[in-house]
Amino acid sequence: MTDKPTTTPGLDTTAPPPLVHGRPVEIAEGVFVIPDGRVPLVPNIGVIVGDRAALVVDAGLGPRSGAASHRIARELAGDRPLYLTLTHFHPEHGFGAQAFEGATIIYNRTQHEEFRQKRDGYLQQFRGLGDAVAEQLGGVEFVEPHVVYDGGADLDLGGKVAQLRSWGPAHSRGDQTVFLPAERVLLTGDLVENRFYPIFPYFPPYDVDVDGAHWIEVIERLQTLNAEVVVPGHGEHSGAGLLATTHEYLTLLRSEVKRLAAQGHGEGEIIAVLGPQLQASYPDWDTSEPWRIATGVQTFLAQ
Ligand SMILES: [Zn+2]
């Protein structure tokens, strides 16, 4: 199947270019985040530096963001070997991987299959988001992983263990988290956001893998890890309250969609009712991408 999503979510054309530009912040000893600065299509990037090796989590959108992430990771890691893993295949998280020359790239199997199936369609879709995004995607080359694992993989970086775990289907089919059990730090990718609405990539017929019901279960399982610091896909890192807020939002959205559908309301009416209602419930969340609520409604209606 060739994926070519037809729904193009609107982005704020006045936003800064989607380039990794932040300076790393140390959130635990040897654990760094290059913050997204709340810039659209810039992810939070993790760099975990052990005694023997360092792990980078996500690469950014396109070769220039990948080069920025790689340069910062190299500064932090010195001459230690680098590993790169991705929370999921989406372009702003993974399409900068080509810059990590010499690094060992690790995917879970589902993520790898999803990447191969959907990368061309997503590249085309994202190029349609505007000149600034298309410019950053210029020269993208797809990079295959060196290691593909099933279920879970633990990386001993030397004095630090990183637990890579597969969770999909939720936000994507191949979602992966990275948990540092000693430091109690959890990097979630787009399973969790901070003051951004969760993203439902529901683009029928090309991509309908987002699974809202399973996503809720995944958040419940992540809560049992007792993380103290949660690094979301987008927005500031924070405490475990981010997991609770995500769970609350997803369950509220699911129950409201079910309630309104049972009353006979159609998709358009439900979106029109829930948009303002959810914005009132989360008044400090970013409202620039209302399609995130709409596709959430569509996802739960389809389930
Ligand atoms: Zn994503």
Side-chain angles (χ1 to χ4, degrees), residues 24-34 45-57 69-83 155-162 178 180 182-183 185 187:
V25 177
E26 191 167 20
I27 59 171
E29 195 188 340
V31 182
F32 301 85
V33 173
I34 309 171
I45 289 167
V47 184
I48 301 141
V49 183
D51 296 332
R52 290 190 289 108
L55 171 66
V56 181
V57 183
S69 309
H70 182 247
R71 178 176 45 76
I72 293 169
R74 196 30 93 201
E75 285 169 12
L76 295 170
D79 56 5
R80 295 170 182 83
L82 285 184
Y83 292 89
L155 278 187
D156 186 344
L157 303 169
K160 274 188 179 50
V161 172
V178 176
L180 310 175
E183 294 78 9
V185 174
L187 297 98

Side-chain angles (χ1 to χ4, degrees), residues 211-227:
D211 186 332
H214 191 240
W215 192 343
I216 291 169
E217 290 173 25
V218 169
I219 297 296
E220 288 167 1
R221 290 183 64 189
L222 293 178
Q223 287 179 302
T224 68
L225 296 174
N226 296 316

Side-chain angles (χ1 to χ4, degrees), residues 99 106 130 236 243:
I106 307 172
E236 299 81 2
L243 294 169

Side-chain angles (χ1 to χ4, degrees), residues 34-198:
I34 309 171
D36 68 337
R38 301 191 67 81
V39 174
L41 295 183
V42 174
N44 288 314
I45 289 167
V47 184
I48 301 141
V49 183
D51 296 332
R52 290 190 289 108
L55 171 66
V56 181
V57 183
D58 284 344
L61 177 90
R64 272 182 272 178
S65 279
S69 309
H70 182 247
R71 178 176 45 76
I72 293 169
R74 196 30 93 201
E75 285 169 12
L76 295 170
D79 56 5
R80 295 170 182 83
L82 285 184
Y83 292 89
L84 170 68
T85 197
L86 307 177
T87 56
H88 58 306
F89 84 96
H90 285 159
E92 81 271 30
H93 296 265
F95 283 15
Q98 73 200 67
F100 282 74
E101 207 170 321
T104 302
I105 302 177
I106 307 172
Y107 278 48
N108 70 59
R109 189 170 306 281
T110 309
Q111 182 186 112
H112 184 219
E113 289 167 1
E114 189 175 29
F115 167 69
R116 285 183 158 179
Q117 183 193 344
K118 299 179 183 173
R119 58 194 181 188
D120 294 320
Y122 270 79
L123 178 60
Q124 197 170 333
Q125 184 201 17
F126 271 58
R127 279 183 174 143
L129 294 177
D131 292 345
V133 180
E135 188 183 336
Q136 294 308 321
L137 288 168
V140 161
E141 291 168 17
F142 295 128
V143 180
E144 290 289 329
H146 304 88
V147 178
V148 175
Y149 72 85
D150 290 296
D154 288 6
L155 278 187
D156 186 344
L157 303 169
K160 274 188 179 50
V161 172
Q163 297 179 336
L164 283 51
R165 296 292 181 270
S166 314
W167 294 106
H171 165 74
S172 71
R173 203 162 81 216
D175 292 308
Q176 172 189 265
T177 59
V178 176
F179 181 54
L180 310 175
E183 294 78 9
R184 312 222 69 78
V185 174
L186 176 67
L187 297 98
T188 64
D190 286 343
L191 291 168
V192 175
E193 317 289 13
N194 189 353
R195 293 190 298 112
F196 290 107
Y197 288 90

